[in-house]
């Protein structure tokens, strides 16, 4: 597989995944850009992996989790307020507003917990694979997901 | 039920995903830039050794360089007859913790038009200078201000320091390099150590090692250790600058003695040595062009000098330019008559051997 073929097939899903992680299109673009530049520069190593797709997802997830250490965050911070040109889709029903609260609560979770939630409830991956991507034990995945869910449930009670 | 809400929230926000077209283009562009920068890092070691220390290939360098320094500082363009000024910055701990750094060694290598011998001019790190956008600051902070946070950028730190030095001295900076501790260590080891001649014993504040007076061959780790020392030295940072000159003089001797310039195997090893510990300002000069030209210097024994500074006033840690000797020295530098200045001020020469 060439880099071009990989990008053709995987860029869009990666970008969707990044949107779920960051909750915001610009940061998602920056995250994917930074990751894919490194993928392109090190393509031979990426292509040698058992599953290049999973390898790149792990790179992107690490980049997201290591936010503070990563170089991409600086550009994000410099950009200031998020652009309003891409509105968050809204439903008319009050129940939809309530559900959008779930989305905003996600931003308060620690990044590893949010990543674990996205991998399980958006990407529908088994815990073994989530553990591989996050570089931790399966038990750690389960406990961070249950801690994240507990945090969200507590928000429900308060709201 | 919260799980269902989560799934629904994720699915609903899929529409936030932007299109991939522009992103794909941006990735390709940025990857191309990084690929070029990577190649620049590769040329680093040889540029330090050849350009910085020996002043090789001067006439070939000039046409490629845009007018810099004098033009931006409003000073008349001088040194037209082919004098060369190379800026070497030593920064501490890059890529280690803490990650951002000051340029504590600022060395301007001046090669006169007559190619008689190189002059190593230390610019004291505590010198008070005007930094664009920052006002009056110490010279060493220009690198830090330019490099930025959280992950510093060697190129940007160099660029701002180069601007400050060009404004301060009024000379054009033709080329330059930034060397970190790691890069310094690897370069030293690549030439199997560098002989450094010390007039007085130096004790390390960091490792408790003692460097005896006299000449000694230092490996990479020892060289880094020596060049970090400031606290136990009578003249502090100024003495450290003198030791940096002694190191560069030793590196030059070593490179010449090993025929690095004419031996492709040795050259390749030195070239690869510093890796990411060194960024280089060569503006696209190809390596082959650099090594194709031989040293033109009559003597490679450098003259060690330091920009004359006065005694601190007010803010005790900042050094002003010496009110009388400073401008005289800078005029001599700009007009490429340092040999004459040195003859008039022999006491200002730092013995490097």
């Amino acid at each position: 597989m060439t880099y071009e073929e990989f990008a053709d097939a995987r860029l869009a899903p990666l970008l969707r995944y990044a949107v779920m992680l960051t909750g915001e299109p610009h940061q998602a673009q920056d995250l994917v850009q930074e990751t894919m530049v490194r993928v392109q520069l090190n393509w031979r190593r990426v292509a040698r992996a058992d599953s290049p797709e999973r390898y790149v997802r792990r790179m992107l997830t690490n980049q997201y989790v290591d936010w503070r250490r990563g170089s991409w965050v600086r550009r994000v911070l410099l950009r200031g307020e998020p652009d309003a040109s891409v509105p968050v889709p809204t439903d008319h029903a009050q129940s939809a507003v309530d559900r959008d609260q779930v989305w905003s609560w996600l931003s308060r979770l620690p990044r590893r917990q949010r990543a674990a939630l996205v991998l399980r409830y958006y990407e529908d991956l088994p815990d073994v694979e989530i553990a591989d991507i996050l570089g931790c034990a399966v038990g750690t995945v389960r406990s961070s997901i249950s801690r994240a869910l507990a945090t969200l449930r507590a928000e429900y009670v308060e709201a | 039920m919260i799980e269902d809400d989560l799934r629904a929230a994720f699915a609903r926000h899929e529409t936030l995903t932007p299109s991939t077209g522009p992103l794909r283009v941006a990735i390709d562009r940025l990857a191309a830039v990084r690929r070029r920068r990577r190649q620049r890092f590769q040329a680093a070691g040889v540029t330090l050794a050849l350009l910085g220390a020996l002043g090789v290939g001067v006439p070939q360098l000039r046409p490629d360089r845009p007018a810099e320094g004098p033009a931006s500082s409003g000073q008349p363009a001088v040194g037209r007859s082919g004098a060369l000024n190379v800026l070497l910055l030593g920064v501490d701990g890059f890529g280690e913790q803490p990650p951002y750094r000051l340029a504590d060694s600022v060395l301007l290598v001046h090669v006169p038009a007559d190619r008689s011998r190189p002059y190593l001019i230390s610019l004291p790190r505590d010198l008070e200078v005007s930094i664009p956008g920052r006002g009056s600051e110490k010279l060493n902070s220009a690198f830090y201000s330019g490099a930025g946070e959280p992950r510093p950028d060697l190129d940007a730190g160099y660029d701002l320091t180069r601007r400050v030095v060009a404004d301060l001295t009024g000379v054009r900076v033709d080329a330059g390099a930034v060397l970190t501790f790691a890069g310094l260590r690897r370069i030293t080891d690549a030439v199997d150590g560098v002989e450094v001649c010390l007039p007085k014993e130096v004790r390390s504040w960091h490792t408790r090692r003692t460097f005896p007076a006299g000449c000694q061959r230092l490996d990479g780790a020892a060289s880094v250790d020596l060049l970090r020392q400031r606290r136990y030295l009578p003249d502090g940072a100024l003495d450290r600058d003198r030791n940096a000159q002694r190191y560069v003089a030793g590196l030059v001797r070593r490179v010449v003695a090993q025929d690095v310039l004419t031996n492709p195997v040795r050259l390749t090893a030195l070239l690869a040595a510093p890796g990411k510990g060194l960024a280089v300002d060569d503006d696209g000069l190809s390596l082959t062009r650099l090594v194709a030209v031989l040293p033109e210097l009559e003597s490679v024994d450098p003259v060690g000098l330091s920009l004359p500074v006065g005694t601190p006033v007010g803010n005790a840690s900042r050094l002003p330019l010496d009110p009388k000797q400073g401008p005289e020295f800078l005029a001599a530098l700009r007009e490429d008559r340092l040999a004459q200045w040195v003859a008039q001020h022999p006491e200002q020469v730092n013995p490097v051997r």
Side-chain angles (χ1 to χ4, degrees):
Chain A
M1 184 169 35
T2 65
Y3 166 81
E4 299 299 326
E5 288 164 354
F6 179 83
D8 286 343
R10 299 303 310 167
L11 192 57
L14 276 172
L15 192 53
R16 281 199 293 276
Y17 173 57
V19 167
M20 298 310 149
L21 289 179
T22 62
E24 197 270 321
H26 291 119
Q27 294 187 7
Q29 275 175 320
D30 281 347
L31 183 56
V32 172
Q33 174 179 298
E34 182 60 31
T35 306
M36 288 299 281
V37 165
R38 294 203 323 224
V39 166
Q40 193 180 125
L41 291 175
N42 302 298
W43 176 247
R44 257 181 300 183
R45 194 169 66 218
V46 174
R48 269 203 308 271
D50 293 337
S51 160
E53 189 251 310
R54 199 189 309 169
Y55 187 94
V56 172
R57 199 199 290 276
R58 197 183 320 155
M59 281 173 71
L60 189 140
T61 310
N62 284 335
Q63 184 85 20
Y64 164 72
V65 172
D66 293 349
W67 179 289
R68 212 182 306 260
R69 277 183 282 158
S71 57
W72 62 280
V73 70
R74 192 158 37 138
R75 292 195 304 279
V76 172
L77 293 178
L78 286 175
R79 178 136 51 207
E81 290 307 303
D83 185 328
S85 63
V86 187
V88 175
T90 47
D91 284 6
H92 296 295
Q94 181 60 38
S95 64
V97 176
D98 289 344
R99 273 185 282 122
D100 273 339
Q101 283 187 327
V102 178
W103 182 252
S104 66
W105 291 334
L106 281 173
S107 66
R108 297 180 211 165
L109 292 175
R111 294 197 190 101
R112 286 182 72 84
Q113 288 186 18
R114 177 165 184 158
L117 289 184
V118 172
L119 289 166
R120 186 191 272 178
Y121 297 110
Y122 178 69
E123 300 285 348
D124 286 320
L125 294 180
D127 289 352
V128 182
E129 217 167 301
I130 298 175
D132 181 49
I133 288 167
L134 290 176
C136 62
V138 175
T140 315
V141 170
R142 288 182 186 141
S143 63
S144 51
I145 287 177
S146 64
R147 260 203 307 278
L149 292 178
T151 308
L152 295 180
R153 277 193 200 100
E155 296 280 3
Y156 264 114
V157 173
E158 279 179 37
Chain B
M1 56 132 200
I2 183 145
E3 290 88 341
D4 296 335
D5 282 356
L6 266 175
R7 283 183 209 278
F10 286 136
R12 203 166 49 245
H13 287 84
E14 268 191 351
T15 51
L16 279 177
T17 311
S19 78
T20 55
L23 182 59
R24 184 86 181 255
V25 174
I27 291 166
D28 288 349
R29 206 175 45 224
L30 195 58
V33 168
R34 297 236 184 117
R35 212 172 271 129
R36 276 201 300 277
R37 183 169 290 191
R38 211 188 246 182
Q39 284 161 356
R40 286 175 66 185
F41 279 126
Q42 301 273 313
V46 81
T47 311
L48 177 82
L50 302 193
L51 275 184
L54 296 171
V56 176
V58 177
Q60 287 83 352
L61 273 173
R62 302 306 297 273
D64 283 356
R65 301 285 311 170
E68 191 80 44
S72 63
S73 62
Q75 304 270 0
V78 283
R80 66 277 161 223
S81 50
L84 173 76
N85 296 290
V86 179
L87 182 62
L88 300 183
L89 304 181
V91 299
D92 55 347
F94 194 87
E96 294 156 20
Q97 293 296 326
Y100 50 80
R101 287 291 129 201
L102 302 168
D104 276 343
S105 290
V106 181
L107 197 60
L108 192 63
V109 182
H110 174 79
V111 179
D114 65 10
R115 302 288 180 268
S116 47
R117 59 201 302 200
Y119 292 81
L120 306 178
I121 303 161
S122 293
L123 306 178
R125 63 159 201 162
D126 292 326
L127 185 70
E128 184 157 19
V129 293
S130 164
I131 297 177
R134 294 277 166 158
S136 181
E137 281 287 346
K138 286 191 196 182
L139 177 59
N140 64 354
S141 72
F143 189 85
Y144 170 72
S145 297
E149 286 183 284
R151 175 168 292 184
D153 179 346
L154 286 178
D155 285 340
Y158 170 83
D159 285 342
L160 186 58
T161 310
R162 175 172 73 168
R163 229 173 113 189
V164 169
V165 168
D167 285 349
L168 169 76
T169 59
V171 299
R172 174 207 296 243
V173 176
D174 299 277
V178 180
L179 194 55
T180 65
F181 284 158
L184 178 68
R185 193 176 60 231
R186 288 195 289 266
I187 278 196
T188 311
D189 288 335
V191 296
D192 295 328
V194 165
E195 187 193 55
V196 179
C197 299
L198 299 171
K200 267 185 276 179
E201 176 187 286
V202 174
R203 272 190 306 143
S204 168
W205 191 78
H206 300 91
T207 64
R208 297 174 190 278
R209 176 180 173 139
T210 299
F211 299 90
C215 294
Q216 54 220 288
R217 171 102 72 90
L218 301 180
D219 66 10
S223 299
V224 170
D225 191 16
L226 174 68
L227 296 192
R228 292 178 76 187
Q229 298 316 311
R230 168 174 63 89
R231 293 193 185 229
Y232 288 151
L233 303 177
D235 245 356
L238 299 179
D239 271 338
R240 180 169 60 186
D241 284 345
R242 292 180 189 119
N243 287 339
Q245 295 185 349
R246 292 177 184 119
Y247 169 84
V248 171
L251 177 64
V252 173
R253 286 198 301 275
R254 193 80 189 142
V255 166
V256 170
Q258 292 188 331
D259 276 342
V260 169
L261 303 181
T262 49
N263 179 333
V265 177
R266 305 257 346 131
L267 189 60
T268 310
L270 187 63
L271 188 131
K276 286 195 175 170
L278 196 143
V280 114
D281 168 30
D282 60 0
D283 272 4
L285 258 190
S286 78
L287 183 64
T288 41
R289 280 184 65 192
L290 272 179
V291 299
V293 286
L294 290 169
E296 302 168 346
L297 294 171
E298 289 166 31
S299 162
V300 293
D301 275 340
V303 182
L305 295 171
S306 184
L307 180 64
V309 287
T311 45
V313 276
N315 188 339
S317 68
R318 295 185 188 184
L319 299 173
L321 193 62
D322 185 285
K324 181 168 182 297
Q325 287 205 347
E328 283 176 15
F329 175 85
L330 289 176
L333 171 65
R334 278 196 298 271
E335 291 155 26
D336 195 16
R337 45 179 181 78
L338 278 181
Q340 185 195 343
W341 191 88
V342 165
Q344 287 162 357
H345 304 89
E347 78 287 351
Q348 295 280 348
V349 175
N350 168 39
V352 293
R353 190 170 191 172

